[in-house]
Amino acid sequence: MNVPAPLFKRLALIGFGLIGGSIARAARAEGLAGEIVTTARSERTRARVAELGIVDRVVETSAEAVEAADLVILCIPVGACGGVAQEIAAHLKEGAIISDVGSVKGAVVKDIAPHLPKHVHFIPAHPVAGTEHSGPDSGFAELFINRWCILTPPEGTDADAVERLRAFWTALGAKVEIMTPEHHDLVLAITSHLPHLIAYTIVGTADELAQVTSSEVIKFSAGGFRDFTRIAASDPTMWRDVFLANKDAVLEMLGTFNEDLSKLTRAIRRGDGEALFDHFTRTRAIRRGIVEIGQDSAAPDFGRPHPQLEKKPD
């Protein structure tokens, strides 16, 4: 039986947390790369990746990882992308596709593009999937199934390269959409970044309440608060970088949110039940729309299974 050739001869993953680890597991399961090479900042992480046996080679530096790679994916916080791009630029293979997984695209383009040679194809990407867990043990091959991956190729990017990257993410199980970096950042500011900011704030507020003890907050958490705590448990480094990198769009959405919150505050203060009912009815319809198009399932992004976590060392 003829085995189809892999999409890429060598895949290089810079960083190996939840997303990098999930890409490696899924790419191996689907036979998408002839060889998978990775590196990570800490020696401990590199050692753990080697123990897991998910990739073919674990190397010490980003420059070494990208040698002869057809596809290079930066799976690191967006704030670190510029420095890594500068480090790998001279070692990139001609015709290689360079991508990332960050949830901010405008800042990533600005930080990475100036360092890359003309003979490579730079196609930023954002797989809209995740859990509250991080580290090399947290990834799982099914993470991207039926989730969106947004590509934001700069104007003039080679169409064949874009299609190859689209085919890669499709093979991982994702649905692929193409946007400009600016539009991506505006969309994600309201659908992802602002909800995370609100979750961090609510959990922080609960922690600071003098009238309610921390044990009571934990013991009597209702479903809504539990959902907030899952979101607020996300990687602090990643989210610090996201808010700083997408500052303008987040502040714009935060301003609109504060205006709406002020309206609800006035309605509660005045006992205006009709205004509250109308608002809740409208937002309920949005929830129904999300369910109807299949963007909700029994396995949500946060809290999806990750069996490897049970094997995580101290």
Side-chain angles (χ1 to χ4, degrees):
M1 186 175 76
N2 291 329
V3 177
L7 272 173
F8 297 95
K9 291 182 180 179
R10 180 174 294 172
L11 165 64
L13 300 170
I14 310 299
F16 205 92
L18 168 68
I19 301 298
S22 295
I23 292 173
R25 290 170 169 91
R28 168 162 282 188
E30 297 299 326
L32 300 178
E35 182 184 21
I36 303 175
V37 182
T38 192
T39 188
R41 183 180 59 183
S42 80
E43 183 178 347
R44 182 183 179 189
T45 299
R46 294 195 300 270
R48 180 57 183 156
V49 175
E51 287 177 10
L52 290 171
I54 300 164
V55 303
D56 298 290
R57 285 194 297 129
V58 181
V59 297
E60 291 189 10
T61 68
S62 299
E64 186 179 356
V66 305
E67 291 283 357
D70 307 290
L71 174 61
V72 176
I73 304 179
L74 276 57
C75 307
I76 53 179
V78 293
C81 286
V84 170
Q86 193 169 11
E87 179 185 348
I88 66 175
H91 304 271
L92 294 170
K93 173 184 176 181
E94 183 173 350
I97 295 173
I98 316 303
S99 192
D100 76 309
V101 296
S103 68
V104 180
K105 298 274 72 88
V108 163
V109 171
K110 184 180 69 175
D111 291 346
I112 293 179
H115 301 297
L116 299 182
K118 301 295 184 185
H119 59 69
V120 301
H121 308 293
F122 176 41
I123 309 171
H126 176 205
V128 187
T131 74
E132 69 272 32
H133 301 286
S134 58
D137 290 83
S138 62
F140 53 102
E142 301 81 12
L143 178 63
F144 310 110
I145 294 175
N146 292 326
R147 298 307 194 244
W148 285 101
C149 181
I150 301 171
L151 306 185
T152 62
E155 190 175 347
T157 302
D158 180 76
D160 289 340
V162 174
E163 285 308 308
R164 288 186 74 201
L165 189 59
R166 181 200 287 271
F168 177 81
W169 279 107
T170 299
L172 296 186
K175 299 175 288 186
V176 179
E177 183 88 2
I178 294 180
M179 296 182 185
T180 65
E182 296 76 19
H183 189 65
H184 167 278
D185 289 354
L186 194 62
V187 170
L188 269 294
I190 190 60
T191 60
S192 176
H193 304 166
L194 185 58
H196 276 81
L197 188 64
I198 293 168
Y200 280 120
T201 304
I202 289 176
V203 175
T205 299
D207 185 55
E208 294 167 5
L209 281 175
Q211 304 95 323
V212 180
T213 66
S214 295
S215 62
E216 287 175 318
V217 168
I218 293 169
K219 182 177 179 180
F220 299 113
S221 290
F225 189 78
R226 284 198 302 270
D227 289 342
F228 278 126
T229 60
R230 280 199 295 270
I231 298 172
S234 301
D235 180 34
T237 301
M238 181 183 79
W239 283 100
R240 175 202 64 194
D241 288 0
V242 164
F243 289 123
L244 294 177
N246 201 25
K247 178 173 65 176
D248 291 342
V250 169
L251 288 175
E252 180 180 340
M253 294 302 149
L254 190 58
T256 302
F257 173 78
N258 283 331
E259 291 174 7
D260 289 343
L261 190 59
S262 295
K263 293 176 185 175
L264 290 177
T265 302
R266 288 194 298 271
I268 294 170
R269 184 177 292 120
R270 296 169 181 170
D272 189 347
E274 184 177 350
L276 293 173
F277 183 83
D278 288 347
H279 183 83
F280 299 155
T281 300
R282 181 164 54 90
T283 57
R284 189 183 189 191
I286 294 173
R287 166 63 184 173
R288 286 175 173 168
I290 290 171
V291 173
E292 286 171 3
I293 66 169
Q295 277 299 96
D296 191 29
S297 70
D301 283 348
F302 284 86
R304 295 180 76 192
H306 35 74
Q308 289 286 347
L309 279 178
E310 297 179 2
K311 304 176 184 178
K312 189 172 183 178
D314 296 333

